[in-house]
Amino acid sequence: MEKPTYHHGDLPLQAQQLALDTLRADGDAAISLRALAKQLGVSAPALYRHFSDRNALLAELAISGFEALRNRLRAVDQQVPRKALINIGLVYVTFAQEEPNLYRLMFGGRVLPMGTHPRLDAAGKGAFQVLEDTVARARQLGYLKPSPVSLMTAAAWSLVHGLSQLTIDGHLPSEKAEPTLTEGVLSLLLDGSRSNPQQLQQDITL
């Protein structure tokens, strides 16, 4: 006798949570819609009504990841430009350290290349926008050099992404092992971008 179709309204959320647990433990390769359906006690077609394929489910996980990252970035105090820029970087790297497999899925491009899932692309841009706005504000206040905001943001993003990837891949010490490493590297870039280096020491003490 065929298994009854599952109609519970929380099925998509339950599937996403179970998939996230699997991702955290074993990586995205371990995620299968059929395996998730079996674990949830529903038929595979029940899940396929909510997710057209495996990558559609993975895209939802990545979207949730970008939304969580954006919320953390937006919570950074913007009062002092130097602190805001460094703390934005610290939040970014910490997120990657806490969610390494989710971070890899969000930024890897292997499974979810740009242009394939518009909502995912928009979520990624939303998180990036917080960094760009922070850089733009620091530049507007005269803290950073009058270089193009897009260029400075790309440099900042490249640095924090590189730090994140190197850390979660085991090439750099984690925050627990070396708590000042990330802040020190961020400071090197930031202080080289200062608008007025003569004020550097004063700003560092703020």
Side-chain angles (χ1 to χ4, degrees), residues 13-193:
L13 293 178
Q14 291 177 353
Q16 286 183 52
Q17 184 57 56
L18 185 55
L20 180 59
D21 293 341
T22 303
L23 175 69
R24 286 169 170 163
D26 302 309
D28 64 83
I31 296 175
S32 160
L33 284 180
R34 290 189 177 279
L36 290 174
K38 185 175 181 179
Q39 289 177 272
L40 290 167
V42 301
S43 65
L47 274 188
Y48 279 103
R49 277 196 290 273
H50 297 285
F51 307 103
S52 59
D53 55 23
R54 175 177 175 274
N55 283 357
L57 173 57
L58 294 179
E60 291 301 322
L61 296 183
I63 289 169
S64 296
F66 276 119
E67 290 173 347
L69 176 58
R70 180 173 180 266
N71 289 336
R72 291 195 193 189
L73 295 174
R74 290 185 66 188
V76 170
D77 189 337
Q78 296 284 334
Q79 292 291 323
V80 180
R82 187 175 194 276
K83 285 186 177 180
L85 289 164
I86 288 179
N87 287 338
I88 282 280
L90 290 173
V91 166
Y92 191 103
V93 176
T94 298
F95 177 87
Q97 292 173 341
E98 292 177 355
E99 296 280 6
N101 285 339
L102 178 58
Y103 183 86
R104 291 185 180 101
L105 177 66
M106 291 160 57
F107 290 100
R110 174 179 58 83
V111 178
L112 303 171
M114 287 191 67
T116 306
H117 301 276
R119 287 180 56 244
L120 175 56
D121 293 343
K125 289 178 182 178
F128 178 80
Q129 189 65 51
V130 182
L131 173 61
E132 187 170 58
D133 290 346
T134 303
V135 170
R137 183 174 183 275
R139 182 182 183 279
Q140 183 180 23
L141 292 175
Y143 185 79
L144 295 176
K145 295 175 181 178
S147 300
V149 171
S150 59
L151 176 62
M152 290 189 288
T153 305
W157 187 29
S158 298
L159 178 66
V160 294
H161 178 68
L163 279 170
S164 298
Q165 198 68 55
L166 288 169
T167 300
I168 65 178
D169 286 345
H171 300 298
L172 288 176
S174 67
E175 194 70 12
K176 291 181 180 179
E178 182 53 73
T180 62
L181 175 64
T182 300
E183 184 171 355
V185 174
L186 291 169
S187 296
L188 283 175
L189 173 69
L190 179 58
D191 295 339
S193 302

